[in-house]
Amino acid sequence: MALSVATNIGALAAAKSASSVNSSMETSMARLASGQRINAARDDSAGLAIASRLTSEARGLDMAARNAADAQAMVDTIESSHNEIHSILQRMRELAVQGANDTNGTADRSNIRTELNALRDEIDAISTNTMWAGQALISASADFIYQLGDAGSENITVTTSLVTSSALSVSTTSNLSTAAAFTSFINTVNSAIATIATYRASYGAVSNRLDHTMSNLATNSEAVKASLGRIQDTDFAAETTNLAKQQILQQAATSMLAQANASKQTILSLLQ
């Protein structure tokens, strides 16, 4: 093999190896410092695209779980107001049964009407004042749409009904002056109680459904995040081992570069 100083093959090979090792070592240090295997698209372009989609899905599922919790709080607020109205109607029924008895005179029935009027006004007050985050819930019929998934189509609609003394047909008490009138009013209150019970059953079913929705969203979010972690997170055991390997190779490459440069010094002896 010819001796030359213009081209140092050994030094070139050593320098190339040192550069390659240094690049690999910097990648390992970046992964260990960030805790992420993918810090740039060049690290794993396909993995980056998958991780991006999984990140969107995971964050969407987490927000959907919050939406479900808020939805349940709203539905439970509606149901609790119906529960109180149900209690009021039960008391109105008691008074209607009392008024239907002819042991009560005109003054007695007038006193019963006074309490009935107060209870009627309280039903209307509950209807007006039942709010959630500034939104009226039962003072008018309304549709509430709850987003319960990370896709646009994953939602449910809950319809609320107007609940007032008029809507329940218990607002008129001025004609309650006879046993027959009170007897008829008993049937009216019975219908109102049945209506409220139907509404409460519907809201209770939605609330129970939302329990399962939140549980499912939590499970899905956990699975998606686990998949994301396997794609994106740094394997510290493997990466620290690789870093140690690259550090040794860097030292070896540097040493060999020095040796390759020094080897050309022997050519000077031919010129003496």
Side-chain angles (χ1 to χ4, degrees):
M1 182 177 181
L3 294 176
S4 68
V5 294
T7 302
N8 190 335
I9 302 299
L12 292 174
K16 177 183 176 183
S17 295
S19 177
S20 175
V21 167
N22 188 64
S23 177
S24 180
M25 189 169 64
E26 287 178 352
T27 298
S28 291
M29 288 190 290
R31 289 173 175 174
L32 291 169
S34 66
Q36 294 187 332
R37 186 180 67 87
I38 305 173
N39 292 289
R42 68 187 180 196
D43 293 334
D44 184 351
S45 56
L48 179 65
I50 296 171
S52 178
R53 293 197 299 271
L54 289 175
T55 298
S56 297
E57 187 174 347
R59 295 180 66 172
L61 289 170
D62 288 345
M63 183 53 68
R66 287 181 56 189
N67 288 350
D70 290 343
Q72 187 179 59
M74 177 183 280
V75 170
D76 288 348
T77 299
I78 296 171
E79 196 280 325
S80 65
S81 68
H82 283 64
N83 181 43
E84 193 57 39
I85 291 173
H86 178 265
S87 297
I88 291 173
L89 290 172
Q90 292 288 4
R91 176 56 182 164
M92 293 180 79
R93 189 179 189 283
E94 288 180 6
L95 294 171
V97 172
Q98 181 182 1
N101 191 8
D102 271 338
T103 58
N104 295 287
T106 300
D108 298 324
R109 285 178 172 138
S110 176
N111 291 333
I112 291 173
R113 286 198 304 274
T114 298
E115 184 174 351
L116 285 172
N117 288 338
L119 293 173
R120 174 200 63 198
D121 292 343
E122 183 56 26
I123 289 176
D124 291 336
I126 291 173
S127 176
T128 301
N129 297 327
T130 299
M131 311 280 284
W132 200 89
Q135 297 186 78
L137 298 180
I138 60 174
S139 60
S141 298
D143 289 335
F144 294 100
I145 300 173
Y146 302 125
Q147 182 65 36
L148 303 179
D150 69 311
S153 60
E154 296 176 340
N155 56 60
I156 65 170
T157 300
V158 174
T159 300
T160 62
S161 300
L162 171 66
V163 179
T164 61
S165 60
S166 295
L168 295 171
S169 302
V170 295
S171 60
T172 302
T173 60
S174 59
N175 63 333
L176 298 178
S177 58
T178 65
F182 272 101
T183 299
S184 177
F185 192 67
I186 293 173
N187 294 329
T188 300
V189 176
N190 284 342
S191 295
I193 290 173
T195 297
I196 292 298
T198 299
Y199 292 162
R200 291 185 66 194
S202 175
Y203 298 134
V206 171
S207 184
N208 284 337
R209 175 182 176 177
L210 290 171
D211 276 332
H212 294 290
T213 297
M214 287 185 284
S215 178
N216 182 60
L217 287 169
T219 300
N220 288 347
S221 178
E222 179 184 357
V224 169
K225 289 175 181 176
S227 299
L228 177 61
R230 283 190 289 271
I231 294 171
Q232 186 170 259
D233 292 353
T234 297
D235 182 343
F236 275 77
E239 210 58 57
T240 52
T241 299
N242 185 59
L243 178 62
K245 170 187 172 183
Q246 299 304 326
Q247 287 174 330
I248 292 171
L249 290 175
Q250 183 191 47
Q251 293 175 15
T254 302
S255 177
M256 290 304 99
L257 180 59
Q259 290 289 336
N261 288 332
S263 67
K264 295 302 180 179
Q265 298 295 324
T266 58
I267 295 178
L268 293 176
S269 63
L270 300 175
L271 303 176
Q272 294 177 356

